């Protein structure tokens, strides 16, 4: 199944007009004709089937003929706050893989040791969207604006918050820290790790220091290992 | 710590001559001088400390002053047989991440639905080596020559062999199939999945069909999810 994404449609939508770019793709590349059925999600747990009424490569129009609700295939709520990697590809890679496995919310956090402090959300949005479509999911992970480390730990406090830092000290394994179906936030630091000051603050804020295991992992690998650990705990 | 890799040195080695390329890197880029100490692994569980005796950017020579054995940080033996991805980056990405997390052996398997049937092992070797160095490991995963699916399942039979195919049918979750510290081989198929014929053969050969969970995963993501699942089972 080829899945399209359109955030604007909802249960009340009857007709759908595709953008020029999408119309071209549908008619020219996919060679869809009138009466063909397209599958579209709004990323909010809905799958819409729409019949093409006008197969124009500039302005393709389709009429919604069926609406299904689709619950997400993962049974947990996971929010990863991750420092953008120096090399942007690595963050993008993390977003793609995390979306495939199952994640609800991602926040880029700017830390003292962050070498990259600017993030192009628009590009990241596109990566998350295509990963959702490619893995046939109907719930789009929420991608938040970048935020400074301190602001982030100050404003999130109700969920279980874990910090995966590399400094010495008492740490439990992530898999022994989080309970199934527990709403969880996990902080992943930049290449140079969280600063001692940030780690100190996180402890004052009662974040749980966790370990992802014996191996030394890159930022984006640590992020993915965290996602897969939560996924397994809930399997 | 900056780690170098040289497969030729062993406990008997006393002096070490770096290649022109490495010598240049050591002397020009890292600005190492005589009497500086370099750290080298042979990828066989050894860490050698060597003192630079001649800091020439064409032919750097170092004398081994200390030898340590380093056991691998993972306590399992995992062999992943994975179909090369159509886009080579994705296989390379899998190799890098699997090496970071912990893997012992990787075999590219050529399947009926494989779109890519040629693999450049030399390039893959370099990726595994740099991931080992970057994650400060001292055991280099074994990268085998590509082999046809049928030949592979015929020649490996003593270990627990699992196949992660996407066809309907009775499958246990990988995490419920493998026991801790059990020597395991896991087969990961190409973009088009294993063929029905291959799946049938694997069952005749008593391979265990396994599921990696509810999500639809790309080949390289499935491979990494398998590695991380085994890693967690053994944590």
């Amino acid at each position: 199944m080829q899945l399209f994404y359109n955030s604007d449609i909802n249960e009340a939508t009857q007709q759908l007009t595709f953008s020029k770019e999408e119309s071209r793709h549908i008619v020219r590349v996919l060679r869809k004709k009138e009466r063909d059925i397209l599958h579209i999600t709004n990323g909010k747990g809905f799958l819409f089937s729409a019949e093409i009424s006008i197969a124009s490569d500039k302005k393709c129009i389709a009429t919604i003929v069926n609406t299904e609700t689709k619950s997400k295939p993962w049974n947990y709520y996971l929010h990863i706050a991750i420092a953008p990697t120096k090399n942007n590809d690595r963050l993008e890679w993390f977003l793609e893989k995390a979306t495939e496995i199952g994640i609800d919310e991602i926040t880029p956090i700017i830390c003292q040791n962050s070498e990259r402090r600017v993030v192009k959300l628009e590009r990241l949005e596109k990566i998350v969207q295509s990963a959702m479509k490619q893995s046939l999911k109907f719930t789009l992970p929420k991608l938040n604006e970048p935020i400074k480390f301190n602001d982030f730990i100050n404003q999130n406090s109700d969920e279980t918050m874990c910090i995966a830092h590399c400094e010495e000290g008492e740490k439990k394994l992530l898999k022994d820290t989080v309970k199934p179906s527990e709403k969880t936030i996990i902080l992943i630091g930049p290449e140079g790790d969280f600063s001692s000051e940030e780690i100190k603050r996180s402890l004052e804020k009662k974040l749980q220091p966790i370990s992802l295991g014996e191996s030394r992992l890159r930022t984006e690998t640590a992020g993915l290992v965290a996602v897969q650990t939560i996924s397994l705990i809930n399997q």
Side-chain angles (χ1 to χ4, degrees), chain A:
Chain A
M1 176 168 81
Q2 161 107 28
L3 191 61
F4 292 87
Y5 170 66
N6 185 318
S7 58
D8 302 333
I9 54 178
N10 56 48
E11 289 159 292
T13 311
Q14 288 169 352
Q15 205 178 58
L16 179 63
T17 305
F18 288 93
S19 68
K20 197 173 172 187
E21 185 193 319
E22 282 178 316
S23 300
R24 199 181 177 294
H25 181 70
I26 292 166
V27 176
R28 290 270 187 91
V29 182
L30 302 175
R31 308 188 171 241
K32 296 288 184 187
K33 301 171 302 306
E34 267 137 48
R35 289 214 198 72
D36 282 347
I37 297 293
L38 300 175
H39 301 283
I40 309 122
T41 181
N42 58 1
K44 303 178 185 86
F46 284 93
L47 168 60
F48 303 92
S49 305
E51 185 182 292
I52 298 179
S53 44
I54 299 172
S56 151
D57 63 1
K58 292 189 182 49
K59 196 180 173 197
C60 178
I61 296 175
T63 309
I64 289 173
V65 292
N66 187 43
T67 302
E68 276 176 76
T69 56
K70 292 275 192 181
S71 57
K72 58 182 200 176
W74 64 99
N75 55 349
Y76 52 86
Y77 191 96
L78 176 59
H79 179 175
I80 297 270
I82 186 168
T85 50
K86 188 174 157 191
N87 168 347
N88 213 16
D89 294 356
R90 296 184 173 277
L91 178 63
E92 295 178 3
W93 167 85
F94 163 75
L95 287 171
E96 177 184 301
K97 299 313 177 195
T99 304
E100 277 180 59
I101 295 169
I103 189 166
D104 299 276
E105 210 171 332
I106 301 144
T107 304
I109 44 168
I110 310 304
C111 304
Q112 283 183 349
N113 295 335
S114 288
E115 295 192 54
R116 171 186 296 274
R117 296 175 165 277
V118 183
V119 179
K120 290 211 183 67
L121 271 192
E122 203 184 309
R123 186 177 157 79
L124 299 182
E125 272 292 354
K126 287 217 176 321
I127 283 162
V128 171
Q129 288 168 18
S130 59
M132 173 191 67
K133 290 188 288 183
Q134 195 276 337
S135 61
L136 294 185
K137 292 188 168 62
F138 307 94
T139 307
L140 188 72
K142 185 163 179 277
L143 188 58
N144 299 316
E145 291 285 338
I147 178 172
K148 289 216 175 74
F149 174 88
N150 290 336
D151 300 337
F152 184 82
I153 63 171
N154 287 335
Q155 74 181 210
N156 294 280
S157 52
D158 40 348
E159 297 96 356
T160 309
M161 242 203 287
C162 305
I163 180 165
H165 69 75
C166 309
E167 263 189 17
E168 289 303 310
E170 209 185 290
K171 288 183 234 172
K172 275 167 75 182
L173 286 168
L174 175 59
K175 73 166 194 172
D176 300 331
T177 307
V178 174
K179 293 167 205 62
S181 70
E182 187 172 28
K183 197 172 180 187
T184 310
I185 304 177
I186 301 169
L187 281 74
I188 306 290
E191 279 84 351
D193 197 12
F194 294 104
S195 70
S196 301
E197 195 184 329
E198 286 166 337
I199 294 168
K200 192 166 155 291
R201 280 232 189 78
S202 72
L203 297 179
E204 288 161 6
K205 278 274 169 190
K206 301 276 178 286
L207 271 70
Q208 303 191 38
I210 53 113
S211 160
L212 296 169
E214 285 307 305
S215 288
R216 171 183 161 164
L217 305 172
R218 284 179 177 271
T219 293
E220 73 280 6
T221 318
L224 201 75
V225 162
V227 174
Q228 176 58 14
T229 302
I230 297 301
S231 165
L232 271 178
I233 288 171
N234 286 280
Q235 254 184 10

